[in-house]
Amino acid sequence: MKLIFEKSTQGRSCSILPPCDVEQIELKEGLARKTKPDLPQLSETDVSRHYTELCNRVHGVNNGFYPLGSCTMKYNPRIDEQMAALEGFTSIHPLAPDYSTKGCKAVLDTAEKCLCEITGMDGMTFQPAAGAHGEFTGVLLIKQYHASRNDTRRTKIIVPDSAHGTNPATAAMCGFEVVNIPSAPDGCVDLQALKGALGEDTAGLMLTNPNTLGIFDENILEITRMVHEVGGLCYYDGANLNAVMGVVRPGDMGFDCIHLNLHKTFATPHGGGGPGAGAVGCKAFLRAFLPGSAIKGHEGIQVRSFAGNFLVVVKAVTYILTLGKEGIPEAARNAVLNANYLMRRIQGTFEPAFDRICMHEFVLDLSRFKEETGVSALDVAKSLIDRGIHPPTMYFPLIVHEALMPEPTETESKETLDEAADIFRELYELARKDPDYMKSSPHNAQIGRPDEVQAARNPILRWKRT
Amino acid sequence: MGSYIPSTAAQRQEMLKAIGLEDFRQLYKDVPGEMYLDRELDIPSGKSELEVCREVSSMAAGNKVFPTVLRGAGAYDHYIPSIVRYIPAKEEFLTAYTPYQAELSQGILQSIFEYQTMVCELTGMDVSNASVYDGATAAAEAAAMCRDRKRRVTLISATTHPDVINIVRTYCYGTNDELRIVPAKDGKTDKEELRKMLEGGDVSGVYVQQPNFFGLFEDAGELGQIVHEAGSMFIMGCNPIALAIMKTPAECGADIAVGEGQPLGMPLSYGGPYLGFMATTAKYMRKLPGRIVGQTTDSRGERCFVLSLQAREQHIRREKASSNICSNEALCALTAGVYMATMGPDGMAQAASQSMSKAHYLAKELCKLKGVSLRFKGDFFHEFLTDIPKADEVLKALEDNGILGGLPVDGGIFWCATEKVPKAELDRAVSIVREVLA
């Protein structure tokens, strides 16, 4: 389809602003730009149709099944959107006087109270705008804590090799040396490896539990105890909280600080890449290190202007109030049930990497399948697109080769899971009959496979008038 | 209670049975018994949609909405065309994840490619990323882009928004790098001090806000020259509405242009979601953090779009990545794209020029009042700082009349006007101030 610039017509415009009703001031010669920006010139019909055409080329979770592992693509309720669009929230200036923003404070207080209870934490900030931003904030809590005790020896953060890439990247941004430890084959922490890495230079450990292979680490109490014993702190990456919310709390596992992905666990939409919200919670002894705003007189760390992605918090609060104390654990239990059900329905064709109960997601290991058929995990993923399913996460975690990681979430019905399982099984058969068809899939998508090598070698990152 | 679980109780039992379990507890057999939560959460019971709607609406009603806003300081109340609210609310855009699977995400990828182009047009730079969290984190990421082994110090002008300074300081605290503040003189960056601070040869990048925190235009071209003479990189943090008419960062010699994109169609929303935009020259393309969308062709030879240059990113590079950023503000970038497409080059220029004109009118009228004067002399855009008696009473009187006045700053009041406020309302605000000062 055409780019918006290719639909532009010189002299066309939308009618938005009235003429200026005060004396119009022009910028001085030296301050003004030489030429106007070459933005598209369109009628409102043009704008509307262009974006409608674009949105017809997008698959969202509200369009269909989206089992993207580690991303918790659950249904995003419309009521959450309606509440976040209330004028009483959208028109509030972030620097309005406190007496006029009591409603915003009530939202943040409700979110803090509920989420502290769900996670077993004592305090929380909503400044971080995404999960990785939350990690950055959380690890800075650890850094400040050690600094406040003049404990300058602690220069290392331990990260298992099964961790999300954001974990080591975050530790580096916080000035720590990253110690990667190998995981046990099931992605759980190898206690011997951990023991070998721990020492008086340990600042902390970053961990996801359930881990990135969808397995709950049953040694978790021992792990956090070992880290604490050498004076380190434990950071919980909340990416996988959906499996356990209301069932077991990171605070009770021994974690000192955590981040949550409100855009995963608490049903706020991901918007094609954001905005998210990466709320950071901590135990009482770390509360003094939480961020605030300089313009409001705070002297500690600050990671984002004002109160963070406030409207995302409104959506999460709406969701939490809807589910309540009964619905939160019910959602977790059904997310786990759906994952196990789907895994077992597929089993016998594509094999799970671990034949055991999984949490909210599971990993399929296609290495033998690839050897037998020549069809890769990527080919299966692209074939799923032809069947109307968004592919699972591919080639992650790195410790399983030819990995596909489906996470169905609790908001899919048994019928959807049955259909999806049948499609997986069909593809398993198809790979034996017609592997070339799968290797050249997708066949029915709006585009064929893109040439990513060309994109990287010859970067075209903007449109230019020819 | 509310629930979004479609499977019926009977189906759930059937599914449990199918996987060989009797009850839900068995799903959690790996969870040590001592930490398994054997009690209800201490949060309210779930509610129906209607009840939740009432409860959250009543929280919103606990806020006071000011129909007129004369306050900016980093968050600006511009008019948002109706279509700009509707398009990003389309479910496809709203409920998709990051466009990892290009075949299912062309709409999002193309919208980002178009946004990147618009940011390049606005700033004059060569390459834009797909967005970062906000203007302040964009500043911090830009500062990190400038560092190499030898040059570790970052300079930031004292005329920068205090939150931006604090956030850049926080990121510097993270990487153990030093941040030094370039002092201000008469409300603008002190050039002589800047020259001196660059002498050591250890400065990687210098950040200047344009227009600056006090609303004044910096002599950006000259500042850029001073910075480059010392071999450092020049970062400009720009207001995107002003960019429709003011000299671009490229024209000022900037190496990196960043800014808070909120004025491009995002409501005030008590601080977010907002949008950090970030653009640079071709030379530094591979140092840019975050997602970047690139054009390529598909197996059928057609033009298409993909996430590109991923070798910079955390999921590939892990601890050696240029940043840990993963999620960004894609939907806000879409919003900004729709805003710029709807306003067009002339509409954007009108929004900029009317905002500036109204701010100058307001300043002129306020300064006719006894005891009111501009603190700084220089050219300003749509914000200005006044010295004014009885600042607290003035603001209170305005608030009682539905007007959020300027922000109290250093004993004065820091005002902002946008195209949204009609002349009659500006006159009403001035007459309220007049009464208080009388």
Side-chain angles (χ1 to χ4, degrees):
Chain A
M1 74 176 267
K2 281 184 174 176
L3 289 167
I4 198 162
F5 305 97
E6 294 160 347
K7 297 176 176 175
S8 173
T9 304
Q10 182 74 28
R12 191 173 279 173
S13 66
C14 302
S15 146
I16 306 292
L17 299 179
C20 192
D21 57 2
V22 298
E23 186 198 345
Q24 195 131 6
I25 307 280
E26 298 299 336
L27 272 181
K28 277 187 196 160
E29 176 81 15
L31 291 174
R33 61 185 290 158
K34 289 198 187 92
T35 54
K36 279 184 194 168
D38 191 1
L39 297 171
Q41 302 183 37
L42 304 164
S43 69
E44 196 163 318
T45 321
D46 296 331
V47 176
S48 174
R49 291 204 179 140
H50 178 71
Y51 285 100
T52 301
E53 200 181 347
L54 285 180
C55 98
N56 288 336
R57 293 161 72 86
V58 179
H59 177 101
V61 65
N62 291 13
N63 296 85
F65 193 33
Y66 210 125
L68 187 63
S70 100
C71 299
T72 312
M73 295 298 282
K74 57 174 79 177
Y75 174 73
N76 305 135
R78 295 307 302 197
I79 183 69
D80 302 1
E81 298 306 307
Q82 192 182 325
M83 294 300 98
L86 289 169
E87 202 206 351
F89 293 131
T90 58
S91 47
I92 303 305
H93 194 286
L95 301 173
D98 289 344
Y99 80 86
S100 68
T101 60
K102 286 183 184 149
C104 294
K105 186 157 188 311
V107 168
L108 293 171
D109 287 349
T110 305
E112 178 171 10
K113 196 160 166 278
C114 292
L115 291 171
C116 280
E117 166 66 6
I118 290 169
T119 57
M121 294 289 135
D122 300 314
M124 197 163 279
T125 174
F126 294 94
Q127 230 177 42
H133 205 205
E135 291 177 27
F136 176 64
T137 310
V139 175
L140 284 185
L141 297 187
I142 294 176
K143 182 166 182 156
Q144 293 176 88
Y145 168 77
H146 292 310
S148 74
R149 296 155 48 92
N150 293 320
D151 193 348
T152 52
R153 300 164 300 174
R154 301 194 178 271
T155 54
K156 292 180 182 167
I157 291 274
I158 300 170
V159 180
D161 61 2
S162 57
H164 299 119
T166 49
N167 288 180
T170 296
M173 272 177 81
C174 295
F176 289 108
E177 190 183 320
V178 179
V179 182
N180 288 296
I181 55 166
S183 307
D186 57 0
C188 291
V189 173
D190 179 330
L191 294 180
Q192 279 310 313
L194 176 64
K195 198 169 176 206
L198 286 171
E200 54 183 29
D201 56 359
T202 302
L205 166 77
M206 297 180 83
L207 205 62
T208 315
N209 194 28
N211 67 26
T212 55
L213 281 90
I215 292 167
F216 192 92
D217 200 319
E218 58 185 356
N219 295 322
I220 188 63
L221 284 175
E222 175 64 7
I223 293 163
T224 53
R225 192 193 59 75
M226 285 164 70
V227 176
H228 287 149
E229 205 172 68
V230 301
L233 299 186
C234 297
Y235 180 84
Y236 181 83
D237 176 333
N240 293 345
L241 186 75
N242 202 49
V244 295
M245 60 175 180
V247 176
V248 54
R249 312 189 308 166
D252 299 336
M253 299 179 207
F255 287 96
D256 305 294
C257 52
I258 63 163
H259 86 261
L260 302 174
N261 299 77
L262 300 189
H263 50 285
K264 295 180 180 177
T265 319
F266 298 96
T268 76
H270 203 263
V280 166
C282 65
K283 291 281 180 67
F285 74 99
L286 291 173
R287 206 154 37 190
F289 306 116
L290 286 173
S293 161
I295 209 163
K296 291 189 169 172
H298 178 86
E299 285 181 355
I301 65 163
Q302 179 177 5
V303 297
R304 192 193 172 284
S305 52
F306 311 122
N309 282 342
F310 173 73
L311 295 183
V312 179
V313 182
V314 173
K315 296 176 195 185
V317 161
T318 306
Y319 177 77
I320 293 165
L321 292 176
T322 303
L323 265 57
K325 61 183 172 192
E326 309 87 352
I328 292 286
E330 190 196 31
R333 287 194 294 262
N334 282 277
V336 173
L337 174 64
N338 278 1
N340 279 282
Y341 180 73
L342 183 62
M343 179 175 77
R344 295 302 180 200
R345 281 282 275 109
I346 295 173
Q347 199 169 15
T349 57
F350 299 109
E351 289 299 329
F354 308 103
D355 186 12
R356 55 185 284 179
I357 289 177
C358 67
M359 289 283 104
H360 61 303
E361 64 193 5
F362 57 95
V363 180
L364 297 171
D365 183 347
L366 275 64
S367 29
R368 219 182 73 200
F369 169 80
K370 191 186 170 192
E371 272 171 36
E372 289 167 7
T373 63
V375 175
S376 67
L378 178 75
D379 300 327
V380 174
K382 299 301 179 190
S383 302
L384 284 167
I385 292 176
D386 279 335
R387 310 296 181 104
I389 294 179
H390 190 287
T393 294
M394 313 179 299
Y395 299 98
F396 183 85
L398 309 173
I399 58 175
V400 175
H401 302 292
E402 293 299 320
L404 283 181
M405 180 163 65
E407 177 185 5
T409 84
E410 72 280 11
T411 62
E412 300 301 334
S413 66
K414 177 175 177 295
E415 291 86 342
T416 303
L417 301 177
D418 284 335
E419 275 169 38
D422 288 344
I423 289 170
F424 271 96
R425 301 180 79 92
E426 280 168 37
L427 292 178
Y428 184 80
E429 295 305 325
L430 183 62
R432 280 150 213 284
K433 286 183 209 142
D434 193 354
D436 289 339
Y437 185 80
M438 287 182 71
K439 285 187 211 167
S440 57
S441 58
H443 299 278
N444 309 324
Q446 274 147 334
I447 61 164
R449 281 194 207 188
D451 184 347
E452 297 188 8
V453 176
Q454 180 198 329
R457 276 201 194 139
N458 173 29
I460 303 173
L461 308 176
R462 57 157 300 177
W463 170 83
K464 270 188 188 141
R465 190 173 287 283
T466 47
Chain B
M1 87 181 186
S3 165
Y4 300 102
I5 301 169
S7 297
T8 63
Q11 283 178 320
R12 294 178 205 180
Q13 284 309 316
E14 204 183 313
M15 289 159 75
L16 274 172
K17 218 172 134 193
I19 59 174
L21 300 182
E22 280 160 23
D23 57 38
F24 278 100
R25 178 66 181 90
Q26 292 177 336
L27 288 170
Y28 292 100
K29 68 167 188 47
D30 290 338
V31 175
E34 67 245 65
M35 67 171 73
Y36 189 86
L37 203 60
D38 262 332
R39 62 166 176 85
E40 280 193 331
L41 288 169
D42 183 17
I43 65 173
S45 268
K47 294 182 185 68
S48 66
E49 179 173 314
L50 176 57
E51 290 165 297
V52 172
C53 180
R54 276 191 209 124
E55 187 170 342
V56 180
S57 300
S58 94
M59 288 194 224
N63 289 328
K64 181 176 163 77
V65 173
F66 296 102
T68 296
V69 177
L70 298 176
R71 186 168 293 192
Y76 300 99
D77 189 32
H78 289 282
Y79 179 70
I80 301 175
S82 176
I83 193 168
V84 177
R85 292 187 191 265
Y86 279 93
I87 287 173
K90 287 178 186 280
E91 282 190 306
E92 292 81 359
F93 289 136
L94 189 67
T95 72
Y97 203 75
T98 301
Y100 295 130
Q101 295 289 343
E103 294 90 337
L104 284 176
S105 320
Q106 281 303 298
I108 286 170
L109 289 162
Q110 183 174 329
S111 79
I112 295 171
F113 185 80
E114 292 171 350
Y115 159 85
Q116 287 174 184
T117 305
M118 293 182 200
V119 169
C120 290
E121 281 299 324
L122 218 47
T123 56
M125 308 303 283
D126 303 320
V127 189
S128 158
N129 70 8
S131 73
V132 295
Y133 311 131
D134 70 342
T137 56
E141 294 276 13
M145 271 174 74
C146 299
R147 290 184 201 119
D148 59 24
R149 275 171 195 227
K150 283 187 193 155
R151 293 175 176 263
R152 303 298 305 178
V153 176
T154 299
L155 301 187
I156 191 164
S157 170
T159 64
T160 304
H161 193 291
D163 276 357
V164 176
I165 296 179
N166 211 31
I167 290 161
V168 175
R169 181 184 289 123
T170 298
Y171 276 65
C172 287
Y173 171 68
T175 46
N176 302 315
D177 290 306
E178 199 183 334
L179 179 71
R180 297 179 192 147
I181 314 265
V182 183
K185 192 178 168 191
D186 302 327
K188 298 209 286 191
T189 308
D190 187 328
K191 292 173 207 158
E192 287 319 305
E193 286 295 325
L194 172 63
R195 266 203 187 88
K196 280 186 215 153
M197 293 174 80
L198 285 164
E199 276 167 8
D202 55 354
V203 174
S204 54
V206 179
Y207 180 92
V208 174
Q209 181 177 325
Q210 177 80 324
N212 72 22
F213 179 67
F214 303 109
L216 302 175
F217 286 105
E218 296 275 355
D219 307 323
E222 207 183 325
L223 292 171
Q225 220 167 352
I226 296 171
V227 173
H228 284 152
E229 276 163 18
S232 304
M233 285 169 70
F234 185 43
I235 312 165
M236 282 179 71
C238 299
N239 179 312
I241 297 288
L243 279 176
I245 55 172
M246 79 177 179
K247 208 167 160 182
T248 65
E251 287 168 339
C252 299
D255 299 291
I256 307 170
V258 299
E260 176 51 69
Q262 176 272 330
L264 301 172
M266 277 138 267
L268 294 168
S269 308
Y270 198 57
Y274 287 177
L275 164 72
F277 67 85
M278 201 165 179
T280 186
T281 57
K283 186 177 171 190
Y284 297 109
M285 173 176 75
R286 286 176 202 271
K287 293 190 92 174
L288 203 56
R291 312 283 188 209
I292 301 176
V293 171
Q295 179 184 315
T296 185
T297 47
D298 71 357
S299 52
R300 306 164 197 165
E302 304 279 335
R303 173 173 70 187
C304 67
F305 303 94
V306 292
L307 291 175
S308 195
L309 304 181
Q310 297 195 56
R312 304 161 293 119
E313 292 189 67
Q314 46 77 26
H315 59 286
I316 312 277
R317 299 263 292 163
R318 297 178 80 85
E319 63 265 31
K320 294 189 178 66
S322 52
S323 165
N324 74 342
I325 190 167
C326 186
S327 285
N328 52 31
E329 303 288 304
L331 199 69
C332 300
L334 174 73
T335 305
V338 180
Y339 177 84
M340 289 188 268
T342 305
M343 298 300 282
D346 294 330
M348 288 274 299
Q350 272 299 310
S353 137
Q354 292 200 18
S355 297
M356 186 170 79
S357 302
K358 292 188 182 211
H360 281 75
Y361 176 77
L362 179 62
K364 191 180 80 186
E365 294 300 311
L366 283 172
C367 289
K368 286 178 186 167
L369 305 179
K370 197 170 170 241
V372 183
S373 62
L374 290 180
R375 186 168 300 175
F376 302 118
K377 293 262 175 326
D379 293 304
F380 62 93
F381 179 52
H382 69 341
E383 291 179 283
F384 57 93
L385 180 58
T386 56
D387 287 309
I388 187 167
K390 300 193 218 171
D392 292 349
E393 282 173 59
V394 164
L395 292 174
K396 178 76 175 43
L398 287 168
E399 286 162 23
D400 289 345
N401 284 284
I403 300 172
L404 180 63
L407 185 72
V409 169
D410 299 340
I413 297 182
F414 183 48
W415 305 87
C416 175
T418 68
E419 81 288 354
K420 201 171 154 183
V421 191
K423 175 173 179 290
E425 190 65 0
L426 294 173
D427 290 337
R428 191 171 76 93
V430 172
S431 73
I432 292 165
V433 178
R434 184 183 297 118
E435 259 176 57
V436 175
L437 299 185

